[in-house]
């Protein structure tokens, strides 16, 4: 099982689902059809168990980052992944693989899968200018199309200005451009990569600090909103009582919600300026 997204980066929060890909490799001499059916049964059974009623909240297992997304098979053989990535892999898939962490299951298969994807996510010579333009185009499209109708772009925790996506896409672009030459960038963790980029003088200490501050604060607020409301949330709460509750959970105090909002807006504004300068140039 290849952990992806926030799960792969060890950055899952209270509202995160589990992004994964399922890989299997039939034993020598095994019937390919029987092996595929057995692997599929494991994947389907795992997903069902994790959403079944229990003392723990349900954990949604999302496998849409796999090749061909919803249209592709839930479980593929290692050979099928190899053939797909060698022939069809797009730049957005290479970006998604930045957080791929093959750590659950057979150790040999995990090691071989990691060796397969490393040249895709840390390309020799870095991403091409056309690939960089494509990454920027995709991000701009997400900014304009995925923000929910009526959502405030200043206070949407994931897609808002200076929010989680802004910081993470900026760090990931630096990884794709420079990880082939900077081993410290070859990590699934956002802040580890950011620190490596600063150490390699790819980003100034001031800019790195602005991005880190925003990423940490927005992550904490997002978790606090979920804890208070008891359900996933992507935007800052708007009601006064709700904001007071979030401020309390974050240690500001019930009567300090405005200070919390001011901190959030100032921190994300500084981060957005860095994003515009580094990600969009």
């Amino acid at each position: 099982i290849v952990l992806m997204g926030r799960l792969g980066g060890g950055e899952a929060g209270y509202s995160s689902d589990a992004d994964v890909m399922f890989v299997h490799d039939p034993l020598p001499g095994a019937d390919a059809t029987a092996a595929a059916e057995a692997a599929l049964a494991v994947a389907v059974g795992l997903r069902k168990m994790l959403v079944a009623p229990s003392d723990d909240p349900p954990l949604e297992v999302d496998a849409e980052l796999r090749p061909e997304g919803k249209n592709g098979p839930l479980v593929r053989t290692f050979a099928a992944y190899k053939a797909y990535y060698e022939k069809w892999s797009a730049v957005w898939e290479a970006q998604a693989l930045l957080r791929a962490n093959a750590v659950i299951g057979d150790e040999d298969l995990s090691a071989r899968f990691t060796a397969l994807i490393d040249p895709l996510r840390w390309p020799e010579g870095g991403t091409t200018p056309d690939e960089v333009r494509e990454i920027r185009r995709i991000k701009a499209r997400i900014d304009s199309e995925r923000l929910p109708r009526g959502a405030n772009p200043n206070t949407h925790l994931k897609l808002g200005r200076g929010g989680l996506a802004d910081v993470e896409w900026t760090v990931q672009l630096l990884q794709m451009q420079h990880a082939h030459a900077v081993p410290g960038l070859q990590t699934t963790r956002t802040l580890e990569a950011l620190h490596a980029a600063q150490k390699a003088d790819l980003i100034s200490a001031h800019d790195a600090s602005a991005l880190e501050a925003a990423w940490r604060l927005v992550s904490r607020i997002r978790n606090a909103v979920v804890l208070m409301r008891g359900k996933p949330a992507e935007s800052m709460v708007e009601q006064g009582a709700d904001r007071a509750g979030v401020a309390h959970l974050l240690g500001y105090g019930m009567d300090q919600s405005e200070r919390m909002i001011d901190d959030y807006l100032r921190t994300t504004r500084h981060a957005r300026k860095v994003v515009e300068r580094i990600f969009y140039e």
Side-chain angles (χ1 to χ4, degrees), residues 27-267:
L27 294 171
D31 178 82
T33 300
E37 291 175 351
L40 179 62
V42 172
V44 171
L46 176 65
R47 297 177 86 182
K48 286 183 177 179
M49 285 190 290
L50 290 173
V51 297
S54 71
D55 292 338
D56 293 317
L59 179 62
E60 295 288 341
V61 177
D62 186 343
E64 292 187 15
L65 290 176
R66 66 188 186 272
E68 300 176 287
K70 292 181 179 178
N71 297 321
L74 180 63
V75 181
R76 287 176 182 258
T77 64
F78 174 80
Y81 274 99
K82 185 173 187 294
Y84 177 87
Y85 286 139
E86 287 178 349
K87 189 174 183 180
W88 302 109
S89 180
V91 66
W92 73 264
E93 290 175 300
Q95 183 179 359
L97 290 172
L98 289 173
R99 286 178 160 181
N101 198 355
V103 293
I104 298 176
D106 183 83
E107 292 184 1
D108 176 68
L109 180 56
S110 296
R112 286 189 287 130
F113 186 84
T114 301
L116 170 66
I117 65 173
D118 277 353
L120 295 173
R121 55 184 176 177
W122 329 122
E124 186 62 35
T127 47
T128 67
D130 285 344
E131 289 171 333
V132 172
R133 280 192 291 271
E134 177 64 6
I135 292 170
R136 289 177 175 144
R137 186 194 67 79
I138 294 172
K139 176 67 165 64
R141 181 178 176 184
I142 290 173
D143 287 347
S144 63
E145 296 181 4
R146 297 244 183 123
L147 193 69
R149 183 184 298 273
N152 185 341
N154 290 318
T155 56
H156 195 277
L157 301 170
K158 182 177 181 181
L159 301 177
R161 301 185 185 107
L164 295 176
D166 264 3
V167 175
E168 290 165 2
W169 279 65
T170 300
V171 174
Q172 289 163 10
L173 181 60
L174 291 173
Q175 288 181 278
M176 297 181 74
Q177 290 175 309
H178 303 287
H180 67 285
V182 182
L185 288 171
Q186 297 178 17
T187 174
T188 63
R189 296 176 179 266
T190 300
L191 295 186
E192 283 186 6
L194 180 59
H195 296 160
Q198 178 189 335
K199 187 175 181 180
D201 292 327
L202 300 174
I203 182 173
S204 70
H206 180 272
D207 287 349
S209 178
L211 294 181
E212 179 172 354
W215 191 90
R216 288 187 182 277
L217 179 60
V218 177
S219 295
R220 291 182 63 225
I221 290 176
R222 190 185 191 196
N223 281 333
V225 172
V226 175
L227 282 176
M228 190 201 65
R229 301 182 67 185
K231 59 182 180 180
E234 297 293 352
S235 290
M236 173 68 77
V237 287
E238 298 293 337
Q239 300 299 320
D242 291 341
R243 286 190 172 182
V246 172
H248 173 68
L249 286 172
L250 293 176
Y252 282 88
M254 295 286 287
D255 59 347
Q256 295 294 314
S257 60
E258 289 305 314
R259 183 162 67 89
M260 175 190 71
I261 297 299
D262 289 344
D263 285 350
Y264 173 86
L265 294 175
R266 182 181 64 257
T267 302

